[in-house]
Amino acid sequence: MSKNVLIVDDAAFMRMMIREILTKNGYQVVGEAGDGQQAVDKYKELRPDLVTMDITMPEKDGIQALKEIRALDPAARIIMCSAMGQQGMVIEAIQAGAKDFIVKPFQADRVLEAVRKTLGL
């Protein structure tokens, strides 16, 4: 059975890159969101197996969305996506319950490694 993934990033190009990596490797992208509020709403609706979450977004950032999703579902599996130089935010995200993080620009093998590890595959 393929695992369902929700991709959250305010940049459509970044969502497309992650979608392509995941779908080529047997994962099903069940939804996408462009900001933290959409991420929380889509998570409630879709209950995906995994979320990839950008840290820096308009409306509601990834860390706030992470905290809200984890409050709804303490078992939520969320991987944070960050640009170089955001180590402080990555640490905050891990402390808030993120399972792993990947750094932009995305490298397919690192994305897949984080996904497999987070899903326990």
Side-chain angles (χ1 to χ4, degrees):
M1 187 182 127
S2 71
K3 297 292 186 177
N4 297 328
V5 183
L6 170 63
I7 299 172
V8 184
D9 198 303
D10 58 323
F13 178 72
M14 290 297 176
R15 293 195 308 268
M16 183 185 73
M17 285 178 64
I18 293 178
R19 183 184 335 112
E20 193 169 299
I21 291 167
L22 295 176
T23 54
K24 276 185 183 172
N25 287 277
Y27 297 95
Q28 183 173 356
V29 176
V30 291
E32 294 185 18
D35 65 48
Q37 187 56 56
Q38 288 178 13
V40 174
D41 295 342
K42 291 264 189 190
Y43 189 88
K44 287 180 196 173
E45 175 193 340
L46 302 168
R47 294 289 175 165
D49 299 306
L50 176 77
V51 179
T52 65
M53 176 89 67
D54 186 23
I55 290 181
T56 309
M57 295 182 290
E59 305 300 322
K60 181 178 289 179
D61 69 24
I63 293 173
Q64 185 59 43
L66 161 72
K67 290 175 180 174
E68 289 183 28
I69 290 170
R70 295 271 303 169
L72 289 168
D73 179 4
R77 291 177 287 214
I78 302 172
I79 298 172
M80 302 307 286
C81 305
S82 71
M84 290 296 222
Q86 291 185 314
Q87 286 87 344
M89 295 177 103
V90 168
I91 290 166
E92 185 182 349
I94 298 292
Q95 289 170 340
K99 301 295 185 193
D100 204 344
F101 67 94
I102 48 180
V103 178
K104 298 174 184 179
F106 301 121
Q107 294 177 315
D109 56 349
R110 176 65 188 113
V111 171
L112 294 169
E113 174 193 336
V115 167
R116 285 187 200 110
K117 187 176 103 180
T118 300
L119 290 170
L121 302 175

